[in-house]
Amino acid sequence: MTLAGFVVALVIGTLPGARGPGQVSAGLPAARPPQPPAGCPAGGFPAAQRPWAPAAAALPRRGAAGRAPRGRRSSCALPGAEGRPGCAPGAGRGRAGCEQGSVRLQGGKNEFEGTVEVYLNGIWGTICGSHWDNNDATVVCRQLALGEKGTAKHIPFSGLGLIPVFWSEVRCRGDEENILLCEKDTWQDGTCPQKMAAAVTCSSSLAPVFTPIRLAGGSNAHEGRVEVYHGGQWGTVCDDQWDDADAEVVCRQLGLGGVAKAWGQAYFGEGSGPVLLDEVQCTGNELSIEQCPKSSWREHNCAHKEDAGVSCTPLTDGALRLTSGRGSHEGRLEVYHSGQWGTVCDDGWTELNTQVVCRQLGFKYGKSAGLEKESSSEGSSGPIWLDDVSCSGKETNLLQCSRREWGKHDCNHQEDVRLICHPDNDSHKLSLGPPIRLMDGENKKEGRVEIFINGQWGTICDDGWSDKDAAVVCRQLGYKGPARARTMAYFGEGKGPIHVDNVKCTGSERSLADCIKQDIGTHNCRHSEDAGVICDHLSKKAPGNSNKDSLASVCGLRLLHRRQKRIIGGKNSLRGGWPWQVALRLKSSHGDGRLLCGATLISSCWVLTAAHCFKRYGNNTRNYAVRVGDYHTLVPEEYEEEIGVQQIVMHKEYRPDSSDYDIALVRLQGPEEQCARFSTHVLPACLPLRRERPQKTAPNCYITGWGDTGRAYSRTLQQAAIPLLPKRVCEERYKRRFTGRMLCAGNVQEQKRVDSCQGDSGGPLMCERPGESWVVYGVTSWGYGCGVKDSPGVYTKVSSFVPWIKSVTKL
């Protein structure tokens, strides 16, 4: 990728009050700055006449208040240059903070990439890229507030023109706040081995990049004109498309709870500086204005008389909301008092009262709604706060109307006031309530549903959770395809509070908030019941294939293991990632069954497992069933299929009191090679060659299963990378119990603790051959304890039994 062809300068100044690049105690060796050519004030050079610069001078001290200098700069005002932009190196290529050690990116396709330039002694210069690495790049990205991850790039000097090189090598640890804090070598001898300059690409994947934002011109800290910080300057936002959904995001980003309302037409006074944003169109679900659809920076058709503002009214006594309607514009009226929401009785309620309420909520007018839509089961369970309310219609707040004392009434919840409010125009977007997100799915369209309430992300209990609830969640997140509910912590257990239980959507609501029928935080659940969804769910199955030759050609293919995965640090597999994984289940007279062993699909009708799986319950085929395509043991999957057992063949040399010859074959019920239906989630593994040694041919090995996770058996299919060990390791540990028909594998270091307990008895040890076909080299057999130091797992060596397998299965 050529970064030098297209010049875009990202320039970040120093935020007032923020820690600046100059806030460092240790100085650099002093050096005289080069003298400028004639016609340019001291300290500055035209871009085409930049000299090769020596090391940086000592860092300037900060002001007494500890703040960076305030004020706008059209470009770098150099010492003695009196702010004349023509003498600022790189003038016209963006705006930058011009303190010693400021950095900027030049020549990238966007603000997240480019050649690194550093500001020293009044001059912008580069860094030799010979030893430039990701740690150095990460420090630059952090200094520019472009995220917590940087990737080192290198750009030929030949494309950069005449520009100084300051440092021949930078050695950052990666945790520094400023590149001046890194160790470095001054560029002296004029050589840079590869003749490449340091460049970076910044990624915000590890930490969201939030544009700094503030409120100005309001009468208190909860309201004001919205101002954002970009390119070293504070500027305003135009009110085109500005509404309460945008206000909700601004209030959330500022950490201000309560009721958010948008204001236009410079309600809080006209700002100064540039208009930085226009056409902001948040859904109300974002965490920062940066995440909302909007114009490009500085692209607008506005004047300051259209500056946007917000008010973030705190939840104080008298705050109002409408609940249990089809949106936040209608429903049961609730009022906030003493830390709790309660209802209002309809005794003496008039349309004048309704107008006051709707106006207080930011709507133009409204009307009372009947009670026929609400059944007693949907009514509020909270207090009835107000009764006998009487307004003149001129009040700005419901509490200004005459009423009884708080909590004094003679009503029940069948008499709760219900309203419908109407906005100024049809294009007004209604607030969608608390934001929601999907976590730990395999892509952004699925995951555990989490909701942001009271400043904290929390989960939803799956009691009553259905596809109708999933449809509302997916629609709120902007997905239009079919939605499917997932229960039983299908996407893993969340952390933090369980905010919501017994969600009841009809499927037509605009937001999940409209489906919440009971008080926040009230539930009888654990995180093992966290609800999830799959949005834009595709329902496609590959038909069964009876052609034996074509089946043999697809063995060992993992079609779904490269999808995006957001699970961090977990050992969960991807759905369909191990398509030959089989669950051998014990049938029960109650019909519930339970997982007995893992196994490996080697053809449509044959499964490979361990002989010891049948030691306890015998080889009566009616005791067992085989489940293919399974992922979560308690949630039925689309590709999942449970098939009866027709035949069990244990190796004739296996003895229950021994671990040798621990291998068995299971024939599934069904016509020849038409037992299990193949799909992306159900495919056979390849068999090894006779006497093939995977240590030499296939080093990338995994065990899979629903085995021990360290706390309990997992509900979702687990995977763990596992190293194959020399046989002498197991021979020394297990003596004569370990034979030549066994494989030795596992981590012998105590802190790693990966062995057969992470898989299941009888389950596969798979290794990848070069060329991406996966081979079942081992069957999980035995070991001493779980993850015990110096006690690796032992696996039946499948390559020793290939002739036997082929003679039984006729494959």
Side-chain angles (χ1 to χ4, degrees):
M1 182 192 306
T2 301
L3 300 178
F6 177 74
V7 178
V8 177
L10 169 79
V11 189
I12 299 291
T14 304
L15 282 170
R19 178 181 174 185
Q23 193 173 1
V24 186
S25 58
L28 298 171
R32 283 186 62 200
Q35 296 303 308
C40 197
F45 289 87
Q49 298 177 345
R50 297 178 195 165
W52 298 96
L59 301 180
R61 295 184 177 219
R62 293 168 67 83
R67 290 177 175 265
R70 284 185 175 272
R72 295 168 51 194
R73 293 174 175 173
S74 62
S75 63
C76 295
L78 302 181
E82 300 175 357
R84 287 164 57 182
C87 292
R93 299 171 65 195
R95 291 171 166 77
C98 292
E99 292 191 1
Q100 190 86 332
S102 293
V103 293
R104 68 182 182 186
L105 304 183
Q106 292 285 76
K109 292 183 178 178
N110 55 57
E111 62 183 21
F112 292 90
E113 63 179 42
T115 306
V116 178
E117 293 187 5
V118 187
Y119 190 75
L120 295 176
N121 301 328
I123 298 172
W124 289 100
T126 60
I127 302 168
C128 173
S130 297
H131 302 280
W132 186 253
D133 64 18
N134 289 347
N135 284 343
D136 309 320
T138 293
V139 172
V140 170
C141 294
R142 182 182 298 118
Q143 185 173 343
L144 289 170
L146 293 178
E148 288 292 320
K149 182 181 180 183
T151 303
K153 303 290 182 181
H154 302 84
I155 300 298
F157 278 125
S158 58
L160 300 180
L162 185 63
I163 185 169
V165 179
F166 287 144
W167 299 314
S168 59
E169 183 177 350
V170 175
R171 295 180 295 279
C172 300
R173 295 187 309 274
D175 58 357
E176 297 91 344
E177 294 293 325
N178 185 297
I179 198 166
L180 291 184
L181 300 177
C182 303
E183 292 183 19
K184 47 200 162 303
D185 296 333
T186 302
W187 188 83
Q188 291 175 329
D189 59 6
T191 61
C192 184
Q194 282 87 36
K195 297 184 179 178
M196 302 287 272
V200 302
T201 297
C202 298
S203 167
S204 59
S205 61
L206 297 183
V209 179
F210 287 172
T211 298
I213 194 167
R214 69 184 182 187
L215 301 183
S219 60
N220 58 58
H222 297 90
E223 65 178 25
R225 180 177 61 255
V226 177
E227 297 189 352
V228 293
Y229 189 83
H230 180 76
Q233 279 186 293
W234 287 101
T236 62
V237 178
C238 181
D239 64 6
D240 292 347
Q241 307 287 338
W242 190 253
D243 61 24
D244 288 351
D246 307 313
E248 192 166 325
V249 173
V250 170
C251 294
R252 183 180 304 122
Q253 184 174 350
L254 290 167
L256 302 175
V259 181
K261 177 164 175 54
W263 300 88
Q265 302 296 306
Y267 184 87
F268 296 103
E270 295 185 14
S272 58
V275 178
L276 288 176
L277 287 179
D278 192 11
E279 302 287 341
V280 178
Q281 299 180 61
C282 303
T283 66
N285 199 48
E286 298 85 355
L287 294 179
S288 86
I289 201 169
E290 182 79 14
Q291 299 170 343
C292 301
K294 56 190 179 302
S295 68
S296 299
W297 291 102
R298 298 175 183 269
E299 286 188 9
H300 65 88
N301 56 353
C302 309
H304 279 301
K305 65 182 180 182
E306 299 169 81
D307 284 344
V310 302
S311 56
C312 311
T313 308
L315 276 181
T316 55
D317 280 5
L320 303 180
R321 71 178 185 185
L322 300 177
T323 66
S324 302
R326 287 174 296 184
S328 58
H329 65 296
E330 69 172 52
R332 181 176 61 246
L333 174 63
E334 294 189 354
V335 60
Y336 192 79
H337 176 65
S338 297
Q340 191 174 8
W341 289 99
T343 61
V344 179
C345 181
D346 65 1
D347 290 351
W349 191 263
T350 68
E351 290 302 312
L352 292 174
N353 298 2
T354 298
Q355 301 309 320
V356 172
V357 168
C358 290
R359 196 161 55 240
Q360 183 177 340
L361 288 170
F363 299 98
K364 190 172 184 181
Y365 60 93
K367 64 179 181 179
S368 300
L371 301 175
E372 67 276 1
K373 295 279 178 130
E374 176 158 303
S375 68
S376 57
S377 64
E378 292 177 320
S380 171
S381 58
I384 298 173
W385 280 134
L386 295 179
D387 191 14
D388 294 331
V389 179
S390 177
C391 303
S392 68
K394 297 180 181 178
E395 296 86 352
T396 58
N397 186 299
L398 187 66
L399 296 190
Q400 296 171 354
C401 304
S402 68
R403 55 188 167 81
R404 285 201 194 185
E405 293 178 32
W406 290 106
K408 296 291 178 68
H409 65 86
D410 55 359
C411 308
N412 59 48
H413 282 299
Q414 294 292 328
E415 301 169 81
D416 289 343
V417 169
R418 291 177 63 82
L419 306 174
I420 300 175
C421 294
H422 298 280
D424 292 353
N425 55 62
D426 293 338
S427 65
H428 184 97
K429 282 190 300 187
L430 300 168
S431 168
L432 291 174
I436 56 176
R437 68 181 183 184
L438 304 182
M439 296 298 292
D440 292 343
E442 293 170 13
N443 56 62
K444 65 181 182 179
K445 296 182 179 182
E446 63 176 48
R448 180 178 59 255
V449 181
E450 297 191 352
I451 185 168
F452 192 76
I453 295 176
N454 297 329
Q456 198 171 7
W457 286 104
T459 62
I460 295 173
C461 181
D462 65 7
D463 292 346
W465 189 251
S466 70
D467 288 350
K468 291 181 179 179
D469 306 315
V472 174
V473 168
C474 294
R475 187 184 309 118
Q476 183 174 347
L477 290 171
Y479 301 115
K480 298 179 180 178
R484 295 290 181 268
R486 287 292 182 261
T487 58
M488 308 294 285
Y490 185 87
F491 295 102
E493 296 184 9
K495 295 180 173 60
I498 299 173
H499 281 320
V500 177
D501 191 11
N502 294 310
V503 173
K504 294 178 182 176
C505 297
T506 64
S508 61
E509 293 86 354
R510 295 189 67 236
S511 79
L512 189 67
D514 299 330
C515 309
I516 297 173
K517 307 300 182 186
Q518 66 185 51
D519 291 343
I520 299 300
T522 303
H523 65 86
N524 58 351
C525 308
R526 296 182 178 182
H527 278 301
S528 59
E529 300 168 78
D530 285 344
V533 299
I534 301 175
C535 302
D536 287 354
H537 184 266
L538 298 176
S539 173
K540 291 182 181 178
K541 274 194 178 181
N545 191 333
S546 62
N547 186 315
K548 191 171 180 181
D549 293 335
S550 67
L551 296 188
S553 69
V554 298
C555 79
L557 288 185
R558 296 180 66 199
L559 302 178
L560 300 175
H561 68 295
R562 286 210 175 93
R563 293 174 297 171
Q564 177 189 354
K565 185 180 177 191
R566 290 194 296 158
I567 298 169
I568 307 298
K571 290 190 174 67
N572 291 33
S573 71
L574 292 174
R575 292 195 305 282
W578 303 99
W580 40 79
Q581 177 73 48
V582 169
L584 180 65
R585 300 182 67 84
L586 188 66
K587 279 188 176 178
S588 164
S589 56
H590 305 293
D592 52 358
R594 68 178 178 85
L595 179 68
L596 182 67
C597 272
T600 309
L601 192 70
I602 58 173
S603 79
S604 178
C605 291
W606 284 99
V607 164
L608 183 68
T609 189
H612 78 257
C613 293
F614 305 102
K615 184 160 65 172
R616 183 171 181 184
Y617 298 101
N619 58 359
N620 185 334
T621 57
R622 289 178 295 180
N623 290 338
Y624 308 99
V626 165
R627 189 181 287 178
V628 299
D630 198 8
Y631 173 71
H632 190 294
T633 58
L634 300 179
V635 178
E637 302 288 336
E638 184 179 7
Y639 299 92
E640 185 180 308
E641 194 176 8
E642 197 153 294
I643 305 169
V645 173
Q646 180 176 306
Q647 182 185 6
I648 297 169
V649 184
M650 292 190 286
H651 197 283
K652 62 179 185 290
E653 299 292 335
Y654 173 72
R655 298 291 178 268
D657 57 351
S658 166
S659 300
D660 208 359
Y661 297 96
D662 188 12
I663 192 166
L665 288 159
V666 176
R667 170 62 158 89
L668 307 182
Q669 291 178 350
E672 189 66 26
E673 289 310 321
Q674 292 185 29
C675 304
R677 287 180 295 178
F678 288 156
S679 67
T680 52
H681 291 62
V682 180
L683 290 170
C686 296
L687 289 170
L689 303 173
R690 186 179 183 187
R691 295 178 180 169
E692 182 178 347
R693 299 182 64 187
Q695 290 95 330
K696 294 188 175 180
T697 60
N700 184 25
C701 299
Y702 281 81
I703 52 174
T704 55
W706 293 270
D708 192 352
T709 61
R711 292 188 304 158
Y713 286 94
S714 172
R715 293 173 173 179
T716 52
L717 184 64
Q718 302 287 293
Q719 66 182 45
I722 190 165
L724 300 179
L725 301 174
K727 65 179 181 179
R728 58 177 167 75
V729 176
C730 283
E731 288 172 342
E732 291 170 4
R733 179 70 180 90
Y734 301 123
K735 308 302 186 230
R736 296 179 62 183
R737 271 197 80 185
F738 186 84
T739 74
R741 289 168 291 277
M742 300 174 186
L743 285 174
C744 185
N747 289 98
V748 291
Q749 298 99 336
E750 192 166 12
Q751 65 272 23
K752 294 285 183 80
R753 294 182 176 231
V754 174
D755 73 1
S756 53
C757 290
Q758 261 94 356
D760 297 311
S761 286
L765 186 157
M766 303 293 302
C767 302
E768 185 182 24
R769 276 194 192 130
E772 298 193 356
S773 64
W774 287 80
V775 181
V776 54
Y777 285 109
V779 173
T780 305
S781 184
W782 61 281
Y784 289 171
C786 274
V788 177
K789 186 180 181 184
D790 297 327
S791 295
V794 181
Y795 301 79
T796 302
K797 187 194 293 184
V798 177
S799 60
S800 298
F801 296 94
V802 170
W804 174 77
I805 293 171
K806 291 189 174 181
S807 69
V808 173
T809 62
K810 305 297 188 290
L811 292 175

